[in-house]
Amino acid sequence: MSELHKFLFDGLPVRGMIVRLTDAWQEILARRASNTSTGAYPQPVVELLGEMTAAATLMQANIKFNGALILQIFGDGPVKVAVAESKPDLSLRATAKVMGELPADAHLPDMVNVNNKGRCAITLDPKDKLPGTTPYQGVVPLFGDNGEKLGKLSDVLQHYMLQSEQLDTTLVLAADDKVAAGLLIQRLPVKGEGNLEGTADKDHDQANEDQIGRNEDYNRISILASSLTRDELLTLDVETILRRLFWEEKLLRFEPQAGMLGPRFACTCGRERVAQMIRGLGEQEAESILAERGNIEVGCDFCGKQYRFDAVDAAQLFTPLGDQIPGSPVVQ
Ligand SMILES: [Zn+2]
């Protein structure tokens, strides 16, 4: 089961979080793999999108914000766009648009930053927004301080979090076709949590900025966290990871979040929604698609799931309710 664990380092200005997505991540991959018009993701995209999904969950869980956190990469290479969304209840979904071939060992720049035009954006979309309010969006470069192309998503996001929150952050991310996982270590704000709510005054900001890179406890814990290998993150359970990394530190653990309180897959798409869309096209248009292709296939833009209506299904959509075949899946 997918799970999120939060913890504090007792008496130190450092907190951490570890996420392990299993069933939720496998559902995302299965939806894509069963889509006959796209097929499964190539392996490098599996790894990128999995890391993005784990990171979006960690970032959502790390802020006090009532709305969706959307992590997007707009690529200028074979990956045109990759999106991971995490809601305040930790439900999540993710998708990517891939065009053309990519090598089996493609890294971040080969996928999304071939011509230096790729960019990453983090959007905070409030749940109860007033009409006309635009969501907050931060754009993150895919380049380091010296203009070098960043090779790892974790480098990109650490940079973003340092800039947006003035807090040192260490991220370790990894994904394969079974697990998407991440470890986040962050220095706590100097006073209170004003920073995280955007209410900190100038003195707090300055005090926080002055601490960047200078807190010995954070630096020690960050080095320990960075020693976690991809293989360990993907294969070990959370207890083992925390024991191996921080056996000399005193951790205060929170109740793990799993099941309906933990990270889980959710998308708003469904067969009935697609049925309504086809009804909206009108009978003639639906029939011409059927004549051309044999069936009507519609893929969800947010999770990749494909819905297929054959001639019989489609005919049902345009049959008055009373005349439908009993038990038809579209009669709801
Ligand atoms: Zn969907």
Side-chain angles (χ1 to χ4, degrees):
M1 202 190 285
S2 302
E3 53 194 330
L4 175 75
H5 297 247
K6 295 183 179 183
F7 47 91
L8 293 167
F9 291 81
D10 194 14
L12 307 178
V14 186
R15 65 174 162 192
M17 246 182 250
I18 189 160
V19 68
R20 240 180 102 75
L21 306 173
T22 51
D23 50 353
W25 175 232
Q26 289 161 25
E27 175 68 28
I28 289 170
L29 295 180
R31 285 184 171 230
R32 175 69 173 218
S34 67
N35 186 318
T36 52
S37 73
T38 61
Y41 291 117
Q43 194 58 29
V45 179
V46 168
E47 291 175 21
L48 171 63
L49 195 61
E51 289 190 6
M52 287 176 68
T53 310
T57 306
L58 289 171
M59 292 166 83
Q60 168 68 259
N62 195 42
I63 53 172
K64 287 200 174 78
F65 172 71
N66 188 22
L69 184 144
I70 305 151
L71 173 59
Q72 284 163 292
I73 297 181
F74 301 97
D76 67 353
V79 179
K80 300 299 168 200
V81 65
V83 189
E85 179 192 64
S86 172
K87 299 253 176 80
D89 66 357
L90 297 183
S91 64
L92 57 90
R93 57 185 180 177
T95 189
K97 192 171 174 186
V98 186
M99 286 166 89
E101 296 294 306
L102 69 173
D105 62 346
H107 293 288
L108 188 69
D110 315 320
M111 287 189 273
V112 299
N113 201 17
V114 178
N115 302 305
N116 304 327
K117 299 247 165 60
R119 61 193 158 65
C120 175
I122 288 145
T123 306
L124 299 177
D125 191 11
K127 198 172 170 197
D128 307 306
K129 60 172 178 282
L130 299 165
T133 342
T134 44
Y136 163 81
Q137 189 176 70
V139 177
V140 195
L142 300 175
F143 296 92
D145 289 336
N146 303 315
E148 76 282 13
K149 288 188 192 191
L150 293 175
K152 291 195 297 185
L153 179 69
S154 53
D155 293 337
V156 174
L157 297 178
Q158 277 171 194
H159 219 224
Y160 166 77
M161 292 172 95
L162 186 60
Q163 280 179 349
S164 67
E165 296 176 8
Q166 278 94 52
L167 293 174
D168 313 75
T169 308
T170 305
L171 266 177
V172 186
L173 301 167
D176 62 13
D177 49 11
K178 295 276 182 293
V179 182
L183 169 67
L184 177 146
I185 297 293
Q186 190 169 56
R187 180 169 59 78
L188 288 169
V190 171
K191 283 179 212 158
E193 293 211 329
N195 282 64
L196 302 176
E197 290 153 9
T199 53
D201 57 39
K202 280 214 161 64
D203 290 346
H204 286 167
D205 283 352
Q206 194 55 52
N208 267 317
E209 250 181 87
D210 291 348
Q211 274 287 303
I212 291 173
R214 294 209 185 136
N215 186 283
E216 282 180 21
D217 294 314
Y218 171 81
N219 290 345
R220 179 184 71 253
I221 291 163
S222 168
I223 290 168
L224 294 172
S226 305
S227 74
L228 180 65
T229 65
R230 175 177 190 274
D231 203 42
E232 287 171 323
L233 183 53
L234 290 177
T235 57
L236 299 177
D237 61 71
V238 171
E239 302 307 318
T240 310
I241 290 174
L242 294 181
R243 204 168 50 239
R244 275 199 195 178
L245 291 178
F246 307 122
W247 62 279
E248 281 186 306
E249 308 291 336
K250 188 152 181 266
L251 293 191
L252 298 175
R253 305 278 302 270
F254 293 88
E255 188 71 29
Q257 290 166 265
M260 284 311 287
L261 297 173
R264 64 206 179 278
F265 174 82
C267 188
T268 48
C269 67
R271 194 168 170 86
E272 183 50 34
R273 278 198 174 202
V274 177
Q276 268 173 26
M277 199 200 90
I278 296 170
R279 281 194 199 97
L281 290 176
E283 197 164 0
Q284 267 193 336
E285 179 67 25
E287 274 173 8
S288 83
I289 298 172
L290 283 167
E292 198 183 308
R293 300 188 205 155
N295 49 42
I296 304 173
E297 291 169 337
V298 179
C300 172
D301 282 343
F302 299 100
C303 74
K305 186 173 172 67
Q306 188 179 43
Y307 296 90
R308 185 178 296 118
F309 290 75
D310 63 15
V312 178
D313 297 329
Q316 285 286 303
L317 297 181
F318 296 102
T319 305
L321 271 176
D323 299 340
Q324 293 189 343
I325 304 166
S328 159
V330 291
V331 190
Q332 296 298 340

